[in-house]
Amino acid sequence: MKVRIGIGFGGFGGVAPGEFVALVDRLEKLEIDSLWLSEQLSQPAVAPFAGLGFALGRTSRLKVGMGVTILPGRNPVLVAKELASLASLAPRRVLPVFGLAPGRDADRSAYPVPAGRRAAVFDEALTVVRLLLSEPRVTFHGEFFDLDEIGLGERPARPLDLWLGGAAPAALRRIGRLGDGWLASLVSPERAAAGIAEIRASAADAGRHIDDDHYGLSLRLAFTPPDAETLAAVRRRDPRADPARLLPVGWAAARAAIAEYIAVGVTKFVVHPAIEPGGWPAFLDSFVAELAPLEN
């Protein structure tokens, strides 16, 4: 299985639009595998779809992913059209990952769905996106979306893999039923192993198969010990986990963490570094020396 390690411009290492252009160029020059853009609506960060289009158009080999973009509250026909256009312009370099809800509760109003129906809207919207990306014309009559003979025009020659985030039991079952891969976040190696097993079981129940190398992790990397607020947030996410394993500090700890996850079946990594403003160029140079050799 191929181990790949990309860079995330989100989480606690966000990149403002003013830094974006130079960093995209540097990622391409250093031959880093991939760039990942998180949906940070209220933060000074580049929006995923806009960032994908810019980065893909400016580079020739860099893969660009969404880690993650919120699907419920968006029109799935327009989402599918945007993905089809990006994939046609940059074949094999578009990596879509969808999530259920934004991390900040205050942002939820920007993604309107009927009360209590977010998960149901997600399932139906994802089904619509997949149908449109795989069939020339789609007729679909669901609870939330109603389509009659809708097509996208040109579709990707190679079907797009649609990965999903989330770690709750319902999210893992959804990945097995509807997704092509899992991008986890803040889960221990043990929880990652259990999640992979749950996804595989759900996929088998649905008569589906998810490739063995389609399990990934967003890994936060710090260079100073996390503060009390960060530790408390991690403990709320998983009270049983040791925060030191979820938030490696330094390159050696990051290599050790990646090895633990590879041992349980995770092969795709998105590293979100905590660095000071202006520290990205030095970080990327060190990344190439410290983590890129772990790829195979």
Side-chain angles (χ1 to χ4, degrees), residues 65 153 213 275 282:
D213 65 350
I275 52 179

Side-chain angles (χ1 to χ4, degrees), residues 12 186 219-222 226 230-231 234 242-249 253:
F12 59 10
L186 290 176
L219 182 68
R220 299 189 177 196
L221 171 60
T230 300
L231 290 174
V234 172
D242 176 4
R245 297 179 73 202
L246 303 185
L247 300 172
V249 178

Side-chain angles (χ1 to χ4, degrees), residues 5-30 32-52 54-56 58-59 62-69 183 217-221 269-276 278-285 287:
I5 307 174
I7 300 292
F9 282 1
F12 59 10
V15 169
E19 300 176 273
F20 191 77
V21 178
L23 290 177
V24 167
D25 291 348
R26 195 166 185 85
L27 289 170
E28 176 83 350
K29 181 179 180 180
L30 294 174
I32 290 173
D33 176 74
S34 53
L35 162 65
W36 296 78
L37 303 174
S38 300
E39 188 141 60
Q40 304 285 337
L41 186 65
S42 301
Q43 305 298 320
V46 174
F49 277 107
L52 258 74
F54 180 90
L56 291 169
R58 195 171 178 89
T59 60
L62 182 71
K63 292 177 284 186
V64 188
M66 310 181 306
V68 298
T69 290
L183 184 63
L217 177 81
S218 288
L219 182 68
R220 299 189 177 196
L221 171 60
F269 298 89
V270 182
V271 175
H272 294 267
I275 52 179
E276 296 297 324
W280 275 99
F283 168 81
L284 293 176
D285 288 340
F287 173 90

Side-chain angles (χ1 to χ4, degrees), residues 67-81:
V68 298
T69 290
I70 309 308
L71 183 57
R74 280 187 162 95
N75 184 309
V77 178
L78 300 183
V79 169
K81 180 65 175 181

